[in-house]
């Protein structure tokens, strides 16, 4: 169906284009013909004007001679002389205009002879009249009659030639009018074709625009559906990640409790044995240092086991409602000496007006302080920037702690919250484990984004207070 519509559209445009092309070709041809007829009419008018000018010039010459004979004043001969001086040039121009008409050329030559004869008679009359003392004679009268006959011949030739040119002028005018009508028809046809093309293009545009709008609407619907699916998938992935974190944390707790049980039993026996030996070997004062060493390391092992158990077990929380910004400010006050010591710039980006949270204040301060201290230690002195922000995101309180420190490698990111995993030379590897324990104990979540050389961002999500 779509292919059929496209073929119809293409065929319509091709047909309209061909019609427009033919119309323009016809227009140019008609315009050229019209210009040709216009030039022919102009040439015919010039020929008629030349003939009238020649005849008028001869009449003026004859009038000047008659005035001279009648009044005996030489000034009348000025008109005759002026006519005689320009007559050859006028004839040359007339011959150029008649070069394409042999018959008119032959008539023009005859006319040239008759006018020449007329000028010779006029010249003879002026000479004879002057020689006879400006008196009229029979010879002059005879020349006057002969001049009249020549003038009649000139008049007849001029009329014949003018009639031919007038007939041509009429014919050419009629041809020009027909061409003008044809040109008007072509112009009208072109306008109609253009209007049809505009209407056709408008209809095609409306149709294509409607189809495009429908396609865009479907695309938007698919996009929204895809975004919805992606959001659902992201939420499911996040939930799965949180569940895996909880499961991993629970597994770590089970292992820690089992290890604590297995370690503390022999450790107790070692302590008892040490005390027994100390009481029996009282006379061996040089052995006291070794008994002290055994007791000190046994206590250290016992404390490490206790720390591991505390970092991997859920505890009873003493919750209270408080503003998250106030809690963070208290943590920053505890970390202020470290910030000043390394000249770290602190940037707070708290969202105003967000709800309060229900947290165990002291435990949450420990969790946040662990992250902030790690961020401070990861940044270079004098160049570090610590950015802490709060915001409401999807109905939960979101805390971001961002630094521009050394960052965390991809291999280390997956082990970051595991017990005894640390990147510090003297670290215990239980700080972030305890932090995760506290946040999970608050039914929250913790995530980290990091890139080596560009810093890290810890993202903590907590539920708002029930009173909000």
């Amino acid at each position: 169906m779509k292919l059929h519509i496209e073929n119809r559209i293409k065929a319509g445009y091709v047909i309209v284009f061909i019609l427009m092309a033919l119309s323009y070709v016809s227009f140019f041809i008609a315009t050229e013909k019209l210009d040709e007829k216009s030039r022919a009419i102009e040439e015919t008018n010039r020929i008629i004007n030349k003939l009238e000018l020649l005849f008028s010039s001869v009449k003026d010459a004859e009038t000047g001679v008659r005035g001279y004979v009648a009044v005996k004043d030489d000034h009348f001969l000025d008109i005759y002389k002026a006519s005689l001086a320009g007559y050859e040039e006028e004839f040359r121009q007339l011959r150029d205009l008649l070069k394409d008409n042999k018959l008119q050329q032959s008539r023009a030559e005859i006319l040239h002879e008759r006018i020449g004869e007329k000028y010779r008679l006029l010249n003879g009359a002026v000479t004879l009249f002057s020689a006879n003392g400006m008196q009229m004679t029979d010879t002059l009268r005879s020349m006057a009659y002969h001049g009249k006959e020549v003038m009649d011949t000139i008049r007849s030739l001029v009329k014949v030639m003018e009639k031919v040119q007038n007939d041509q002028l009429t014919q050419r005018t009629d041809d020009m009018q027909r061409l003008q009508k044809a040109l008007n028809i072509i112009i009208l046809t072109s306008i109609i074709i253009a209007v049809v093309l505009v209407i056709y293009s408008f209809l095609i545009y409306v149709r294509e625009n409607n189809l495009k709008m429908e396609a865009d609407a479907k695309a938007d619907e698919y996009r929204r559906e895809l975004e919805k699916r992606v959001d659902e998938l992201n939420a499911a992935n996040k939930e799965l990640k949180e569940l895996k974190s909880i499961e991993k944390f629970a597994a770590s707790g089970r292992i820690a409790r089992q290890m604590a049980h297995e370690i503390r039993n022999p450790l107790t026996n070692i302590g008892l044995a040490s005390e027994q030996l100390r009481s029996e070997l009282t006379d061996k004062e040089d052995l006291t240092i070794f008994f002290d060493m055994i007791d000190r390391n046994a206590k250290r092992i016992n404390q490490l086991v206790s720390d591991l158990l505390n970092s991997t077990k859920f505890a009873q929380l003493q919750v209270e409602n408080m503003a998250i910004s106030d809690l963070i400010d208290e943590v920053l006050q505890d970390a202020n000496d470290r910030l000043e010591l390394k000249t770290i710039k602190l940037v707070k980006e708290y969202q105003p007006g967000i709800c309060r949270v229900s947290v165990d204040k002291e435990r949450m301060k420990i969790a946040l302080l662990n992250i902030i201290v790690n961020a401070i230690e990861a940044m270079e002195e004098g160049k570090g920037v610590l950015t802490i922000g709060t915001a409401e995101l999807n109905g939960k309180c979101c805390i971001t702690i961002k630094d521009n420190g050394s960052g965390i490698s991809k291999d280390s990111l997956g082990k970051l919250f595991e017990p005894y995993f640390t990147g510090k030379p003297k670290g215990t590897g239980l700080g972030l484990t305890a932090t995760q324990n506290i946040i999970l104990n608050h039914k929250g979540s913790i995530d980290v984004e990091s890139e080596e050389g560009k810093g890290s961002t810890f993202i903590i999500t907590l539920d708002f207070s029930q009173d909000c």
Side-chain angles (χ1 to χ4, degrees), residues 262-279:
E262 296 296 333
I263 292 173
R264 276 179 171 172
N265 284 336
L267 191 62
T268 301
N269 293 333
I270 291 173
L272 291 174
S274 175
E275 289 297 326
Q276 183 64 33
L277 287 173
R278 185 191 291 268
S279 63

Side-chain angles (χ1 to χ4, degrees), residues 76-140:
F76 283 95
L77 294 178
D78 293 339
I79 300 174
Y80 159 72
K81 293 176 181 178
S83 175
L84 181 61
Y87 125 84
E88 287 293 346
E89 177 60 25
E90 295 295 335
F91 252 105
R92 185 189 64 76
Q93 295 178 9
L94 181 62
R95 288 191 187 98
D96 291 339
L97 293 172
L98 294 173
K99 60 184 177 180
D100 296 329
N101 193 327
K102 299 297 183 181
L103 181 59
Q104 287 290 77
Q105 277 187 340
S106 62
R107 289 172 179 161
E109 294 302 324
I110 296 173
L111 180 62
H112 182 256
E113 293 176 2
R114 293 294 177 267
I115 292 176
E117 183 180 357
K118 179 64 177 178
Y119 277 118
R120 287 193 295 273
L121 287 171
L122 291 174
N123 184 56
V126 170
T127 302
L128 186 59
F129 184 71
S130 298
N132 291 326
M134 296 184 179
Q135 297 294 323
M136 181 61 67
T137 63
D138 291 339
T139 304
L140 283 173

Side-chain angles (χ1 to χ4, degrees), residues 196-207:
V196 171
L197 178 60
V198 169
I199 296 173
Y200 182 77
S201 299
F202 177 75
L203 294 176
I204 294 300
Y205 168 77
V206 170
R207 183 182 183 87

Side-chain angles (χ1 to χ4, degrees), residues 182 389 422:
T422 180

Side-chain angles (χ1 to χ4, degrees), residues 337-461:
D337 291 342
R338 294 175 181 265
L339 290 169
E340 291 181 353
L341 184 63
K342 293 194 70 172
T343 320
I344 303 298
K345 179 181 179 182
L346 177 64
V347 178
K348 297 180 181 180
E349 296 180 347
Y350 299 161
Q351 178 179 326
I354 62 174
C355 287
R356 300 164 72 85
V357 292
S358 296
V359 295
D360 186 318
K361 178 179 177 181
E362 295 304 322
R363 289 183 176 275
M364 189 56 68
K365 284 176 66 176
I366 292 172
L368 295 176
L369 186 60
N370 283 338
I371 298 173
I372 291 173
V373 168
N374 286 342
I376 293 172
E377 292 177 350
M379 290 185 284
E380 188 177 349
E381 183 176 351
K383 296 182 180 179
V385 178
L386 179 65
T387 304
I388 301 180
T390 62
E392 181 179 351
L393 185 64
N394 298 326
K396 291 182 179 292
C397 178
C398 181
I399 307 165
T400 57
I401 302 174
K402 180 179 180 182
D403 66 70
N404 62 342
S406 57
I408 306 169
S409 67
K410 291 183 178 179
D411 294 337
S412 298
L413 276 176
K415 306 174 185 178
L416 199 60
F417 298 105
E418 292 181 1
Y420 299 115
F421 176 79
T422 180
K424 302 177 184 178
K426 297 182 180 181
T428 62
L430 295 175
L432 288 179
T433 304
T435 297
Q436 185 186 47
N437 177 24
I438 294 170
I439 292 171
L440 292 177
N441 210 11
H442 282 81
K443 297 181 180 179
S445 66
I446 181 170
D447 196 9
V448 59
E449 298 174 355
S450 184
E451 185 176 349
E452 284 189 280
K454 294 187 178 180
S456 306
T457 302
F458 282 80
I459 304 164
I460 302 167
T461 304

